[in-house]
Amino acid sequence: MGEALSLTKIDSARQRAVAEALRAFLPAHAVLWQEEDTRPYECDGLTAYRNVPMVVALPETEAQVQRVLRTCHAMQVPVVPRGAGTGLSGGALPRGDGVLLSLAKFMRVLRIDPLARVAVVQPGVRNAAISDVVSAFGLYYAPDPSSQIACSIGGNVAENSGGVHCLKYGLTVHNVLKVRGFTVDGEPVAFGSEALDAPGYDLLALAIGSEGMLAVTTEVTVKLLPKPQAAQVVMASFGDVETAGHAVAAIVAAGIVPAGLEMMDQPATRAVEAYVNAGYDLEAAAILLCECDGTPEEVADEIARVREVLARAGATRTSVSRDEPERLRFWSGRKAAFPAVGRISPDYYCMDGTIPRKRLGEVLNFIGEMERKYGLRCPNVFHAGDGNLHPLILFDAASADELRRTEQFAAEVLEKCVAVGGTITGEHGVGVEKIDQMCVQFAPAELEAFHALKRAFDPKGLLNPGKAVPTLRRCAEFGRMHVRGGQLPHPELPRF
Amino acid sequence: MDAAIGALAERIRAAAESRRPLRIRGGGSKDFYGDELKGEVLDTRACTGLISYEPSELVVTARSGTPLAELEAALAEKGQMLAFEPPHFGSGATLGGCVAAGLSGPRRAAAGALRDFVLGVRLIDGRGRALTFGGQVMKNVAGYDVSRLLAGSLGTLGLIVEASLKVLPRPQQEITLGFEMPAARALQSCNRWAGLPLPISATAWHDDRLRVRLSGAASALRAAAARLGGDALDEPAAAQYWTAIREQTDRFFAGEAPLWRLSLPSGTAPLALPGAQLIEWSGALRWLRTGAAAAAVRAAAAHAGGHATLFRAAEKQAGAFTPLAPELARLHREIKAAFDPAGILSPGRMYPEF
């Protein structure tokens, strides 16, 4: 893993100095440095990569966050921010020479304005908790990553998290109005505003999805939407995944933007069905879940149109959720896909590439080839509406050889996603996990532009360093050159 | 076509070397917007044409000099649209100017802003380098979101040569309802309605009259209209009305008084500022015709938690845009320097210091 991970050794004199400096203004329970206390922070949701942090800081107030940052900045200590630790790309992987800054204690909902349809919350508030507390006003927060009962809004901002409803309702970037926080040297900043725009550059868009590398978030203002009056799900079965892929295109081509449009292949439905009994058709090679929401009249109209399109597109069976419990049951399988797969394999590795939908058949066939090449199974769940794939490679981490094959399998699939005009990550982030594939997706000049942006916010490179954007040297060592349209870009530039 | 891009890149490289400012310009329909126009004109219109458009992917990619009208016509042919309803402000408006200005029209509060629909851009930075960010897919979190940073950057960070935008199906049907009510009640009503699951796609209030546009399936519109009341406008008149609001050809926008654009939290009560107001986006956007001092207008907007732009005026000594807090101003200067170290791209158009 290189730069980020090589720093595993802890210098105990340095550790003592940093812990003492933080103890000058934080209570004893808010500064952890003994290994039994810091070990739980060694990884996030990507457990394949672990590093025990030198020190963990657990501030409770904005003033404390500011002092942690100022102190670390003065001592030139790297800082890795962390929310709920559910991230899937190692974005919160600690460093042995750094402070892990946990925002877990920022758990308050500060203000709800039902008339203006906004909520102001602290970064540690869980995604699902926002919708729970505003539910009494008939409102909800739209992005719903599958980890929504555990993941925090601060982490959602860092990763620009999506979910199963983003085709219609957007990602975090479309549903957050304002982010307050601090730059790495402790300067307070606010990006965006409670109005719908702010003067100057759109720094809010830049901050969202920046993987905790530009600023530390201490407050988030989210947009709330009225809860749809009604929602129903159509479940459709298909004899092969390619036909299912064409059916997705047919729905969109018919002028329908469903609230959710998800696909699962047979290995995935079988794993899920054994776990939650969602009522899926286990004979189908693939199933589609298509949710329509709105007023009861709209839903009835749209469901009828969707069924018609699906029948024409070759669905072998369709059924519509009859009531709310059944709708939730249809979704329960999709939302439980990762843990369900976790039950049938000691470990699984989740990919996150996004592709133009029309290339779905090609990419799924490629994944099939990779299963044979590497001798590993790979069920697929897929945010079909927006082209975001989550193939899950099943492996056993106890076998070094399986882990190596898994990484190569994943790398080939991500590079295939780029080759068909897609991206290596749709919603999970680059973190440490996909940093080498960034060399494939971006040209050196583009990576340099990312580094220049990073320097604008963090000239010393102390905030979550080594994540998300590879150095040009690293790309040269990785040895795979970015190629676009069959030509090396910028022949005038030196190659590493 | 690539020769056109090459020529633009060459002009920028030469300008950077000689430190001579360039003023990036498409159709010139938004020349009025922002601060000073400095430098030699760099015309983008030779860089034109649709690159790809597949309706079932909900994405269109085109060169920046493509006329916006041409692009919208191509989408309309397939029953789709740019859902943020960008104002053209003239027949020559181009896609590049639309993205660089970052302005959105009446549907913004319901559908999202231009920046929400930007999926990717290809640009030439201030060193003359071609860079590509984002792409043609809906979800993409690889690298910082530079494409959205470019939206509304007024040509100060780079020349956008190509943009990919998410498109949406046109609504099956639209109706517009009219209501007589004063500003305070209109604001209350619009915000209350926006919190209910109603298919409202635009609102505009002025001269004690509120108009509300509904978009969606016929059945949903019937149900919503029955619930909201008001009088239905006849269809051609309604379409003309929304175009006049979007393009600022309505009588409200005529005349010489300075036009301010106030972006506010939507629930803000009517502002006690002299002059006529036109309120859109359920209260989040307020147009104000006033000769009042810039400081007073900006103070009122700031007090409400928003900001005020001197949108159209004979003189803009007060600056078109609300000044930035010191730390944000520093970040802006650094970001500008990262993309345009020689400071030659549309200098002074956004803020005098860069």
Side-chain angles (χ1 to χ4, degrees):
Chain A
M1 292 303 306
E3 289 136 28
L5 283 187
S6 61
L7 295 154
T8 51
K9 269 189 52 192
I10 295 174
D11 171 341
S12 56
R14 178 89 162 145
Q15 182 183 45
R16 211 166 28 248
V18 171
E20 269 169 26
L22 297 177
R23 279 286 285 114
F25 57 91
L26 288 176
H29 61 83
V31 182
L32 314 178
W33 55 277
Q34 285 177 311
E35 204 197 312
E36 66 201 70
D37 298 323
T38 53
R39 174 71 66 187
Y41 295 89
E42 68 181 346
C43 65
D44 58 15
L46 182 71
T47 54
Y49 304 110
R50 296 163 193 262
N51 255 343
V52 176
M54 179 170 70
V55 174
V56 176
L58 293 147
E60 289 177 34
T61 66
E62 288 193 334
Q64 289 175 346
V65 171
Q66 185 175 38
R67 285 193 75 178
V68 170
L69 289 167
R70 282 189 177 153
T71 304
C72 290
H73 199 250
M75 298 178 82
Q76 308 248 29
V77 179
V79 174
V80 175
R82 174 182 162 117
T86 58
L88 293 171
S89 55
L93 182 74
R95 298 167 62 100
D97 65 345
V99 167
L100 186 84
L101 174 56
S102 167
L103 281 306
K105 291 191 174 170
F106 285 75
M107 290 188 52
R108 284 189 302 138
V109 174
L110 300 172
R111 182 160 65 83
I112 299 168
D113 184 340
L115 187 65
R117 303 159 321 278
V118 299
V120 182
V121 302
Q122 292 190 322
V125 172
R126 290 175 303 107
N127 172 294
I130 301 176
S131 291
D132 289 346
V133 297
V134 302
S135 164
F137 304 105
L139 301 169
Y140 79 114
Y141 175 66
D144 59 343
S146 55
S147 58
Q148 70 182 136
I149 55 164
C151 65
S152 65
I153 189 71
N156 290 177
V157 165
E159 302 296 327
N160 191 14
S161 308
V164 298
H165 291 97
C166 19
L167 182 64
K168 186 166 177 181
Y169 296 107
L171 306 151
T172 305
V173 72
H174 303 107
N175 289 280
V176 164
L177 290 170
K178 182 178 174 184
V179 167
R180 278 200 328 119
F182 297 96
T183 54
V184 67
D185 54 351
E187 281 299 315
V189 281
F191 307 131
S193 88
E194 275 189 41
L196 292 178
D197 45 46
Y201 297 141
D202 196 337
L203 300 188
L204 181 65
L206 194 61
I208 293 175
S210 64
E211 306 200 16
M213 293 175 67
L214 301 183
V216 174
T217 302
T218 55
E219 187 185 290
V220 183
T221 303
V222 300
K223 194 168 102 178
L224 304 172
L225 297 181
K227 273 193 282 190
Q229 273 176 286
Q232 270 185 301
V233 179
V234 186
M235 180 163 66
S237 309
F238 290 87
D240 62 88
V241 284
E242 241 178 306
T243 311
H246 292 315
V248 169
I251 290 172
V252 176
I256 302 166
V257 179
L261 189 51
E262 296 284 315
M263 192 194 295
M264 299 169 80
D265 70 3
Q266 195 177 44
T269 54
R270 290 194 169 170
V272 158
E273 199 57 27
Y275 180 46
V276 292
N277 286 313
Y280 293 159
D281 176 359
L282 299 182
E283 298 313 309
I287 64 159
L288 274 187
L289 294 173
C290 179
E291 177 158 292
C292 303
D293 68 4
T295 63
E297 302 84 4
E298 273 176 304
V299 172
D301 274 5
E302 199 170 291
I303 290 277
R305 291 170 66 207
V306 166
R307 287 190 88 161
E308 201 185 301
V309 172
L310 288 171
R312 256 186 289 131
T316 53
R317 225 175 93 181
T318 60
S319 52
V320 180
S321 62
R322 281 160 299 187
D323 50 25
E324 194 57 11
E326 190 172 57
R327 183 183 78 89
L328 295 175
R329 195 158 57 87
F330 283 178
W331 279 119
S332 70
R334 171 59 189 88
K335 292 208 172 187
F338 293 7
V341 163
R343 284 187 358 138
I344 60 167
S345 171
D347 297 280
Y348 67 89
Y349 188 98
C350 175
M351 283 174 277
D352 179 40
T354 302
I355 56 167
R357 273 187 311 261
K358 63 185 168 187
R359 310 296 286 270
L360 177 65
E362 180 186 341
V363 173
L364 290 179
N365 286 334
F366 180 83
I367 292 174
E369 273 170 46
M370 293 302 107
E371 285 185 291
R372 289 185 289 279
K373 175 170 171 186
Y374 290 105
L376 295 167
R377 288 180 299 153
C378 183
N380 278 292
V381 297
F382 180 31
H383 299 302
D386 36 40
N388 188 199
L389 301 162
H390 291 319
L392 301 157
I393 305 172
L394 310 185
F395 73 106
D396 183 353
S399 152
D401 180 56
E402 280 205 11
L403 176 60
R404 185 189 53 78
R405 278 186 280 143
T406 299
E407 285 181 330
Q408 285 174 359
F409 185 149
E412 286 209 46
V413 172
L414 294 185
E415 285 161 30
K416 178 73 179 174
C417 290
V418 175
V420 301
T423 175
I424 57 171
T425 175
E427 56 181 359
H428 294 171
V430 174
V432 292
E433 182 202 23
K434 307 177 197 81
I435 197 157
D436 287 333
Q437 280 68 45
M438 287 289 283
C439 310
V440 179
Q441 186 162 339
F442 293 98
E446 291 149 6
L447 295 173
E448 269 177 18
F450 289 146
H451 287 299
L453 278 172
K454 166 75 170 158
R455 282 194 299 273
F457 286 79
D458 175 15
K460 292 184 181 167
L462 289 172
L463 190 57
N464 211 8
K467 310 279 174 67
V469 186
T471 59
L472 297 186
R473 172 186 305 206
R474 185 184 176 114
C475 288
E477 282 165 7
F478 178 59
R480 250 166 286 182
M481 186 58 81
H482 165 87
V483 174
R484 192 173 285 143
Q487 279 192 318
L488 285 175
H490 319 304
E492 75 282 5
L493 287 174
R495 298 292 169 199
F496 299 90
Chain B
M1 193 46 73
D2 276 283
I5 296 175
L8 291 169
E10 195 40 57
R11 281 278 302 278
I12 292 178
R13 260 195 297 272
E17 237 161 68
S18 59
R19 309 231 155 209
R20 285 157 62 128
L22 290 173
R23 169 184 157 199
I24 302 169
R25 189 173 191 261
S29 57
K30 293 166 195 77
D31 278 351
F32 70 88
Y33 184 53
D35 275 339
E36 249 183 303
L37 299 171
K38 261 194 291 207
E40 232 175 89
V41 169
L42 184 58
D43 193 325
T44 62
R45 284 175 297 181
C47 175
T48 182
L50 218 61
I51 292 173
S52 67
Y53 172 40
E54 269 176 85
S56 71
E57 298 280 332
L58 297 179
V59 178
V60 66
T61 302
R63 292 259 152 87
S64 59
T66 310
L68 197 51
E70 200 178 298
L71 180 69
E72 291 195 310
L75 300 179
E77 217 171 278
K78 301 289 181 187
Q80 298 189 331
M81 63 176 182
L82 298 176
F84 51 94
E85 291 188 323
H88 293 220
F89 295 146
S91 56
T94 61
L95 170 64
C98 164
V99 175
L103 298 169
S104 306
R107 207 181 297 272
R108 189 268 174 260
L114 172 128
R115 62 86 104 154
D116 293 318
F117 290 87
V118 172
L119 300 178
V121 296
R122 208 169 139 205
L123 70 137
I124 303 169
D125 73 1
R127 295 179 177 89
R129 299 185 304 188
L131 306 172
T132 302
F133 297 101
Q136 300 186 306
V137 290
M138 304 288 158
K139 282 162 105 178
N140 186 353
V141 295
Y144 303 125
D145 197 343
V146 177
S147 345
R148 290 201 167 91
L149 181 69
L150 265 287
S153 64
L154 289 172
T156 59
L157 298 178
L159 189 164
I160 298 164
V161 291
E162 190 181 304
S164 296
L165 300 177
K166 179 181 176 180
V167 299
L168 285 178
R170 298 179 80 81
Q172 293 175 44
Q173 214 176 315
E174 300 201 309
I175 54 171
T176 297
L177 306 172
F179 304 81
E180 299 294 330
M181 54 175 79
R185 230 181 93 212
L187 285 167
Q188 272 287 330
S189 303
C190 287
N191 276 287
R192 198 162 42 79
W193 293 335
L196 299 172
L198 293 166
I200 293 175
S201 67
T203 66
W205 175 95
H206 54 111
D207 297 327
D208 285 330
R209 195 157 167 77
L210 173 68
R211 279 137 180 125
V212 176
R213 186 178 65 188
L214 306 172
S215 305
S219 55
L221 299 195
R222 268 196 307 277
R227 183 166 176 180
L228 292 175
D231 329 306
L233 272 68
D234 73 82
E235 218 165 294
Q240 262 175 28
Y241 175 76
W242 292 110
T243 303
I245 297 296
R246 171 178 174 178
E247 297 301 338
Q248 300 194 339
T249 51
D250 185 88
R251 262 206 332 253
F252 174 87
F253 297 98
E256 294 305 309
L259 174 68
W260 285 86
R261 175 190 188 275
L262 277 68
S263 179
L264 306 175
S266 67
T268 308
L271 293 182
L273 286 166
Q277 287 193 41
L278 186 147
I279 304 174
E280 288 189 78
W281 303 358
S282 294
L285 180 65
R286 305 187 194 190
W287 300 101
L288 171 67
R289 306 300 304 267
T290 188
V297 178
R298 292 219 156 103
H303 181 72
H307 63 102
T309 303
L310 186 47
F311 200 73
R312 291 181 197 262
E315 67 88 23
K316 294 188 182 173
Q317 220 166 0
F321 302 104
T322 296
L324 300 167
E327 180 64 7
L328 288 187
R330 184 191 69 77
L331 289 172
H332 276 68
R333 286 193 301 273
E334 300 281 335
I335 291 168
K336 166 74 173 172
F339 283 87
D340 176 23
I344 49 145
L345 298 177
S346 308
R349 179 93 188 249
M350 186 181 269
Y351 288 104
E353 63 263 41
F354 59 84

